[in-house]
Amino acid sequence: MTDFSPESLATIGPKEFAALVKSTPDSKISEVMSSDTRGKILDEVFGRMPTLFRADRAGSTQAVIHWNITGGPGGTTDTYETVIENGACTVTNQPVREPKLAMTMDPLVFLKVVSGDGNPMMMFMTGKIKAKGDLGLAAQVAKLFDIPKG
């Protein structure tokens, strides 16, 4: 199995990524996601979002979503902006628009959600994901992407 590094993530597909997250101990993921490679891993994961976006499920959805990933080096938080409009999805790590929804979570929860290894609704209900703004959108956001199952 591939190791949990930016280099290996760049070479595997969504299903392999999901399997990697599922097979890597939480402590190892947390360790890697608090190191200097964190930004590269987040860039890789967010960079895939537009290709996993399901325009057919989005319908007329128009939304700006901010993903706040806590637990960075020195207690920093990384914010990525996903814009869904006109049947397309774009992502940037330089948020400039007012979000319709802002979700805050630690990197382990984020990776579990995007790899299909965690139930976003359950994580929201147990406080592992904090959502501010359009909670209806928060409940639907996972359905807008083709999330692999590990």
Side-chain angles (χ1 to χ4, degrees), residues 13-77:
K15 283 194 183 327
E16 294 83 2
F17 172 72
L20 178 62
V21 170
K22 198 170 200 161
S23 68
T24 302
D26 290 358
S27 58
K28 176 68 175 163
I29 293 174
S30 295
E31 178 187 318
V32 170
M33 292 306 287
S34 63
S35 73
D36 294 343
T37 59
R38 166 194 169 98
K40 290 178 184 163
I41 292 170
L42 288 174
D43 284 348
E44 182 65 35
V45 172
F46 278 102
R48 293 178 180 199
M49 266 189 178
T51 62
L52 298 173
F53 177 66
R54 295 286 307 264
D56 58 317
R57 293 184 191 163
S60 61
T61 300
Q62 307 285 322
V64 176
I65 303 167
H66 284 184
W67 303 78
N68 302 307
I69 314 299
T70 62
T76 57
T77 296

Side-chain angles (χ1 to χ4, degrees), residues 77-91:
T77 296
D78 293 291
T79 300
Y80 286 76
E81 180 177 88
T82 303
V83 177
I84 298 170
E85 59 188 359
N86 305 320
C89 171
T90 56
V91 178

Side-chain angles (χ1 to χ4, degrees), residues 109-122:
V109 167
F110 171 71
L111 290 174
K112 285 187 177 294
V113 167
V114 299
S115 68
D117 192 27
N119 178 330
M121 191 51 73
M122 191 54 69

